[in-house]
Amino acid sequence: MKTKLYCSLVLIFLCHFMSAQQTDKTLESGLTELVKNFEGDVGIYVYNLKTQKEAAINADTIFPTASIVKVPILIEVFNQIKAGKLHLNDTMVYDAKRVYGGSGLMQFYKDSTVTDLRTLVSLMITMSDNTTSLWCQELVGGGLAINKTMADLGLKHTRVNSRTEGRTLDWETYGWGQTTPREMASLLIKMRNRALVDEAASDEMYRIMSNSFYTDYSLSQIPPYVQTAAKQGMVNKSRSELVMVNAPSGDYVFYIATKNNADESWGFDNKAWELQRAISAYLWNYFEPESDWKPAAGFAELVKGLKY
C-alpha cells in the first residue's frame, strides 16, 4: 500500500513538474514587455504545437469576442451538418429584412437573391459578414445551441450572449460573445488537429478560416506565402485576434484580446491594432529566427483606410 501511495505521489509530482516546464518563460517575458504600456486590459495566449510550450498573460480572463464569436457559430453549423440537420449546399433565399450593418457583403444583396449555406459561412468568416452570421446563428437554433456545444467541449467561458435567452447581463457586459484567450485558441488547435466535429469538418473549417479579408493587423507581419487561419473581432473599446500560423519550424497559435481600450479610433494606427502587429511580428521572429522576411516598405499604404 505504501509503495502504491509513493508511486502515486511521484507520478503527481512528475506530472506537475512536466506541466510547469511547458511555460516558455522567455517568450512570456518578451510579451509582457510589449504590453506594459498599453492603455487598456490585455490578454494573450500563445501555444507552439511542435514544442507544446505556451506563454500566457491574463489568458483565463474573460474578454469580449466581438466578431470572433463567429468561430463558435461556424463550429455549430458544421456540428449540425454532421448530425444531418444542415448541408453546405442547402439553398437559402435572402430577405432584405435581414440586413444588418457593419462588416460584410450580404447586406447589399438584392431582396430574394438565391444563395446557399456555403456562401453564408464563407462570408461570415472571411469577410466577417454580420448579416450572414446572425442568419447562421438562427439556423443552428440560436445561442443556446452554440453554447451547449461550447460547454460540451469543456469551455466554461466561451459563450454567445446576443439574442440568447438568459444572457442579457452578459450581453450588456461583453456584447455579442465572450471568451478567454486560452479557450478560443483551444478551438483553433482542435481544428488544426482535425479533432473538432470530425476530420472532414475540421479540414473544411480550417480552409474557410485561411482566407481572411483583414490582412492589416497580425497577418501583415507574417509572410504571405505562409498559410494562416485567422479571425478578427473589433468594437470601439475592444480589439482582438485569433491566428494559427503554419510556420516552417512548426505551427503556433495565438490569441490577442483587449478591452477597456483608451484608444477607440478606427484608423490604421489604433493602439490596439499597433499592438497586434507588434506581437505578431515578435512571435514570427521568435519562432522563425532565421527568417529575414519583413513587411515590404509601403505595405501600410495598401491596407490602411479599410471601411467597416
Side-chain angles (χ1 to χ4, degrees), residues 38-41 237-239 258-264 272:
F38 182 75
E39 296 181 346
D41 301 325
K237 288 182 173 292
S238 174
R239 315 291 165 93
T258 62
K259 64 180 178 179
N260 301 319
N261 300 1
D263 185 354
E264 299 183 36

Side-chain angles (χ1 to χ4, degrees), residues 1 4 8-9 12 30 81 89-90 103 117 124 130 175 177 187 205 244 253 266 285 289 294 300:
M1 180 64 73
K4 289 183 178 179
S8 296
L9 292 173
I12 292 171
I81 288 171
N89 295 331
D90 285 346
S103 59
L117 183 56
M124 175 174 70
N130 288 331
L187 291 175
M205 287 188 288
M244 173 80 73
V253 65
W266 287 88
N285 292 314
K294 300 293 181 185

Side-chain angles (χ1 to χ4, degrees), residues 11 29 129 174 187:
L11 181 60
S29 177
D129 191 294
Y174 299 107
L187 291 175

